Amino acid sequence: MSGVRIIYTLFGSEEAARSACGTLLEEGLIACANRLSPATSQFRWQGELREEREWPVILKTDDARAPGAANRLAELHDYDVPPILLLPVDTVFPPFERWVAEQLRR
């Protein structure tokens, strides 16, 4: 198991995603963020089937910062129930793992 952790989430707008990612980077809680193209999500919300446009985001951090990053992400999120998944990473290309560690030491 590596020391790198992935946090996956979805936002309701591109601006909300950009703002949250910028804050997490500025606060040193993540090494980088990948804001992806909008996706169409289908789900049930408050008993109603919904289909919405959402903006997926993949955040890279380490084991030590992952819980704090997830909690801060929840505070910044534009959803009442933020979809935040903390995912372990089994194997990481060693130069990338070092880069993540360097970014988080800043």
Side-chain angles (χ1 to χ4, degrees), residues 16-36:
R18 179 185 296 113
S19 177
C21 291
T23 298
L24 292 170
L25 282 164
E26 287 175 13
E27 293 178 0
L29 294 169
I30 61 170
C32 65
N34 301 116
R35 295 188 338 259
L36 306 177

Side-chain angles (χ1 to χ4, degrees), residues 7 12 16 20 22 25 30 42 45 53 58 60 63 78 83-84 89 97-98 100:
I7 300 174
L25 282 164
I30 61 170
Q42 293 178 268
W45 180 248
R53 191 171 175 188
I58 301 169
K60 278 80 124 205
D63 288 334
D78 63 340
I84 299 172
V89 178
E97 188 168 16
R98 285 190 297 274
V100 168

Side-chain angles (χ1 to χ4, degrees), residues 38-50:
T40 303
S41 297
Q42 293 178 268
F43 55 94
R44 186 177 301 277
W45 180 248
Q46 298 179 341
E48 178 183 322
L49 287 177
R50 306 278 298 263

Side-chain angles (χ1 to χ4, degrees), residues 3 10 13 25 27-28 31-32 34-35 41 48 51-52 54-55 63 66-67 76 80-81 89-90 96 100-101 106:
L10 296 142
S13 74
L25 282 164
E27 293 178 0
C32 65
N34 301 116
R35 295 188 338 259
S41 297
E48 178 183 322
E51 184 171 304
E52 303 279 337
E54 295 184 296
W55 282 258
D63 288 334
L76 298 168
D80 293 336
V81 181
V89 178
D90 289 337
F96 182 74
V100 168
R106 295 177 187 256

Side-chain angles (χ1 to χ4, degrees), residues 5-18:
R5 201 56 98 79
I6 296 290
I7 300 174
Y8 175 81
T9 191
L10 296 142
F11 286 90
S13 74
E14 184 176 10
E15 182 51 42
R18 179 185 296 113

